[in-house]
Amino acid sequence: MKTEGISRRGFLRVAAAVGAAFAIEPTLNKVQAAEQLISGKHIVKNPDMQYRTLGSGPAAFEVSALGFGVMGMTYNRSQYPDKKMRQRVIAEAVDHGVTLFDTAIIYGPLNNEEFTGEALAPYKNRVNITTKFGHEVIDGKATGRQDSRPETIRRYCEGSLRRLGIDSIPMFYQHRFDPNTPIEEVAGCIGDLIKEGKVQRWGLCEVSSETIRKAHAVTPVTAIQSEYHLMHRLVEENGVLDTCRELGIGFVPYSPLNRGFLGGCINEYTVFDTSNDNRHTLPRFEPDAMRQNYRIVNVLQDFGRTRGMTSSQVALGWLLHKAPWIVPIPGTTKISHLEENLHTFAFVLADSEWSELERRVAAIPVVGDRYNAEQQKQVGH
């Protein structure tokens, strides 16, 4: 049942947000405060955090300038601490002003969403969770196929809402392009979910400029999520960043530290847990490739040494400097690394310094492909 253009779910969201608005900012107009909570424009901000806007117009989404990738808390990053410590890291991120937390159905599968929902349950009015659909999961197991048919998207949406413990998904990404489902159908389905209040915004991952344009024409896209860092700058060359700039779409770099490599904490001697880490399958993480690529880490370390920065801060600072609508989502299971990442905001460098870094890194050829052949087939459509 709908009244005055708002669904029952949407009405409940507004009602809940109004209650939160009274608690958060009693001096403001309560309806306005509720609308800001729903849109992701939080009333209370951490003065030590910087904020950025992904997307534009109705699709705009104000978030912390650094987000948090939750994947490694349970999936694909070898061993991890116990739940209590992982929840403590999440709590520290929230206390430092991080408002954007990223997960996906395929991570686990499913258990990463469950962990994210539980860890962020105490902070529902202070954070936004983004998740992703597209990879087929049957009976809790990944099949390796893509399925973005509208009926599947709806089923995955309901599952994500349940696991995350929320009434509406702040941003729902298509994780990988489905060659059997036109992107216009995907965009249309998401548009319907937005009207119903189950989804607030949407995005795409690892797609071409052409796909972005087709999708955006049906339902405005808030953000594109793709791998982007000093060792992988394809989005600068294939038109994706230019398309985002032209259409007013945000960009969210995943693996901004190249799966930990640019932080200098892994090298050719690192042993990955083959039962819970995909890096041993990636050509760029073979021992010989890492040995040669470590020269790039050395450049970042040398560059940062005279500026008081770690190599991680150099890598993140470079991305933040690229455009005000870029929001990296580094992940970690360590409070020390979280604080290190967030301290990146303390450093302000001149354009000429970042250009110098780019020249030094570009002089070193990157050894090894970022994905194996099968995974590479899933990107760039």
Side-chain angles (χ1 to χ4, degrees):
M1 174 179 166
K2 291 189 176 182
T3 305
E4 295 289 321
I6 186 170
S7 66
R8 180 176 181 275
R9 182 185 291 264
F11 172 78
L12 293 174
R13 285 173 52 225
V14 171
V18 167
F22 271 91
I24 291 175
E25 190 60 69
T27 62
L28 286 182
N29 175 279
K30 301 307 183 292
V31 175
Q32 179 187 27
E35 290 175 348
Q36 288 178 307
L37 281 166
I38 291 171
S39 69
K41 296 178 180 178
H42 302 284
I43 304 302
V44 178
K45 294 183 179 180
N46 188 319
D48 296 323
M49 173 58 71
Q50 295 181 19
Y51 295 85
R52 294 186 168 191
T53 300
L54 298 169
S56 54
F61 190 19
E62 188 180 56
V63 298
S64 51
L66 274 182
F68 190 102
V70 187
M71 184 193 77
M73 286 283 185
T74 67
Y75 181 67
N76 254 351
R77 287 298 175 265
S78 292
Q79 301 83 11
Y80 48 82
D82 62 29
K83 182 188 287 187
K84 185 176 180 180
M85 176 53 71
R86 286 178 282 142
Q87 290 176 328
R88 182 181 166 194
V89 174
I90 294 292
E92 287 283 339
V94 176
D95 286 345
H96 279 80
V98 176
T99 66
L100 182 67
F101 291 82
D102 182 88
T103 181
I105 293 169
I106 194 66
Y107 300 159
L110 309 182
N111 65 25
N112 199 259
E113 281 192 331
E114 292 168 348
F115 168 79
T116 302
E118 183 179 351
L120 289 172
Y123 315 108
K124 286 184 179 179
N125 295 320
R126 296 171 61 185
V127 302
N128 287 287
I129 304 171
T130 64
T131 190
K132 312 178 194 75
F133 66 90
H135 289 293
E136 186 179 60
V137 176
I138 296 179
D139 295 329
K141 296 182 179 180
T143 67
R145 298 185 294 265
Q146 307 302 315
D147 186 355
S148 285
R149 292 174 296 171
E151 60 268 32
T152 306
I153 294 174
R154 285 185 168 276
R155 178 162 51 85
Y156 285 166
C157 177
E158 294 296 337
S160 290
L161 289 169
R162 183 177 63 255
R163 287 185 292 273
L164 294 172
I166 56 180
D167 295 320
S168 179
I169 299 173
M171 183 155 66
F172 207 22
Y173 290 99
Q174 183 189 39
H175 207 157
R176 290 293 184 269
F177 182 82
D178 177 4
N180 298 314
T181 306
I183 195 62
E184 292 88 349
E185 285 188 24
V186 176
C189 177
I190 293 293
D192 290 340
L193 289 170
I194 291 174
K195 292 174 185 175
E196 295 165 19
K198 296 180 179 180
V199 171
Q200 296 170 39
R201 308 164 193 84
W202 81 302
L204 300 162
C205 301
E206 291 285 3
V207 290
S208 67
S209 295
E210 180 182 4
T211 297
I212 295 169
R213 292 181 185 280
K214 289 179 179 178
H216 189 69
V218 177
T219 301
V221 175
T222 292
I224 302 300
Q225 186 174 142
S226 292
E227 184 172 351
Y228 183 37
H229 49 73
L230 278 161
M231 289 179 63
H232 184 75
R233 299 172 61 179
L234 181 63
V235 292
E236 296 177 8
E237 305 162 9
N238 63 11
V240 166
L241 280 186
D242 289 338
T243 300
C244 288
R245 182 179 294 106
E246 175 191 340
L247 299 179
I249 297 172
F251 189 85
V252 176
Y254 73 81
S255 294
L257 301 179
N258 189 16
R259 298 167 178 83
F261 186 75
L262 293 177
C265 294
I266 58 176
N267 55 40
E268 61 187 290
Y269 302 109
T270 300
V271 177
F272 300 116
D273 179 354
T274 57
S275 68
N276 186 39
D277 203 315
N278 68 338
R279 287 175 289 189
H280 74 282
T281 71
L282 308 178
R284 196 161 289 174
F285 284 83
E286 293 176 358
D288 183 61
M290 283 199 286
R291 180 168 56 253
Q292 297 186 63
N293 289 332
Y294 209 84
R295 293 176 296 169
I296 296 174
V297 178
N298 292 150
V299 168
L300 269 63
Q301 291 171 334
D302 181 67
F303 181 87
R305 194 169 291 120
T306 57
R307 296 167 174 85
M309 304 172 71
T310 65
S311 59
S312 292
Q313 290 167 343
V314 171
L316 292 174
W318 176 80
L319 278 170
L320 290 167
H321 178 76
K322 276 293 177 180
W325 36 268
I326 289 179
V327 178
I329 50 170
T332 183
T333 57
K334 301 176 178 67
I335 290 176
S336 60
H337 286 176
L338 169 68
E339 293 175 343
E340 175 186 352
N341 293 343
L342 294 175
H343 195 62
T344 301
F345 298 118
F347 303 97
V348 179
L349 278 61
D351 291 351
S352 58
E353 293 177 277
W354 292 121
S355 296
E356 174 199 339
L357 175 67
E358 289 186 1
R359 287 193 298 271
R360 293 177 62 183
V361 171
I364 304 172
V366 177
V367 177
D369 295 330
R370 66 163 174 149
Y371 283 139
N372 59 36
E374 185 59 34
Q375 291 169 300
Q376 191 58 39
K377 291 178 183 177
Q378 300 176 1
V379 301
H381 298 284

